[in-house]
Amino acid sequence: DALGRAGLLDGRRCTTHHTVQDELARLYPRASVARDALYVEDDRIVTSAGVAGGIDVALHLVTTRHGPYAAGQVARAMLVHAHRDGTAEQVSPLLRRRSHVDETVHRIQDLIETRFTERLPLSLLAGAAGCSERTVTRLFRRATGLTPLAYQTALRLERAEHLLGRGATAEVAAREVGFADARMLRRLRTRATAS
């Protein structure tokens, strides 16, 4: 309501809680109310559909400014296991693969997320988890649907996409996420797009 009174919704897309969307549209006819959206970002104005939508907005802003890894850390600290964008399901492997309850796998994921730019042999993950390499692979795949290496690669690709979106060259993005060169990054991006 404060944004509307200040005239900041005029000519902009916005949203609010579904129970007051009609009232918002009536009070501010120059605003374009997006029905049933979790949040809407229009230029520098961001509106949400209530408190839960506000959490999604906060994670969206952290992702935009600091990357998906930072948003994942914030989400975990807040005990939020999924971040949704304004209109679609969350696509981040970092958050999507955290909805399980296997604490051993969560520990392995913590290690991978903290050191995803490094080479992480299965023996190192097994040592950190206190179980065999075979058990790590079995538990990890059962909980996340991925192998530990595939999970690490997904995190690297996600971070690389973020860097590319902020203007980094493929070479810089590749090195930043732990790939030897841009060729590997390009190959993995092509494969991810095709799948």
Side-chain angles (χ1 to χ4, degrees):
D1 192 38
L3 293 174
R5 284 196 314 269
L8 295 173
L9 298 181
D10 292 353
R12 294 188 192 282
R13 290 183 70 249
C14 61
T15 195
T16 190
H17 194 274
H18 66 91
T19 60
V20 291
Q21 287 176 347
D22 290 338
E23 184 179 357
L24 181 67
R26 182 181 55 77
L27 289 172
Y28 306 104
R30 294 182 62 197
S32 175
V33 179
R35 306 288 174 163
D36 302 322
L38 292 171
Y39 62 87
V40 173
E41 185 172 14
D42 189 332
D43 193 22
R44 296 176 59 90
I45 304 295
V46 184
T47 53
S48 72
V51 175
I55 292 170
D56 292 306
V57 166
L59 291 173
H60 165 71
L61 294 174
V62 172
T63 299
T64 300
R65 288 155 178 76
H66 304 288
Y69 176 74
Q73 294 297 95
V74 171
R76 292 223 50 223
M78 293 175 64
L79 301 179
V80 176
H81 292 287
H83 160 238
R84 304 163 292 176
D85 72 21
T87 59
E89 291 183 0
Q90 166 62 24
V91 295
S92 169
L94 178 68
L95 300 175
R96 185 175 62 234
R97 307 288 180 180
R98 284 292 197 158
S99 59
H100 62 84
V101 293
D102 190 318
E103 283 305 314
T104 300
V105 176
H106 278 302
R107 280 199 309 275
I108 298 166
Q109 286 177 291
D110 288 341
L111 176 60
I112 294 171
E113 289 163 15
T114 304
R115 299 171 57 182
F116 74 95
T117 62
E118 303 173 25
R119 184 177 171 279
L120 297 173
L122 198 51
S123 58
L124 185 146
L125 300 178
C131 53
S132 72
E133 294 177 22
R134 186 174 176 181
T135 300
V136 164
T137 302
R138 181 176 48 80
L139 292 176
F140 203 94
R141 189 184 291 277
R142 186 171 63 201
T144 69
L146 298 174
T147 65
L149 178 60
Y151 183 72
Q152 180 183 19
T153 301
L155 295 176
R156 285 177 166 185
L157 282 172
E158 184 176 59
R159 178 61 181 162
E161 291 294 345
H162 173 73
L163 292 170
L164 291 168
R166 296 179 71 92
T169 65
E171 198 64 49
V172 167
R175 281 197 313 272
E176 194 74 23
V177 301
F179 293 132
D181 55 43
R183 283 185 311 234
M184 175 61 86
L185 175 57
R186 287 189 194 100
R187 190 165 37 248
L188 289 169
R189 287 180 79 205
T190 301
R191 191 180 305 161
T193 305
S195 63

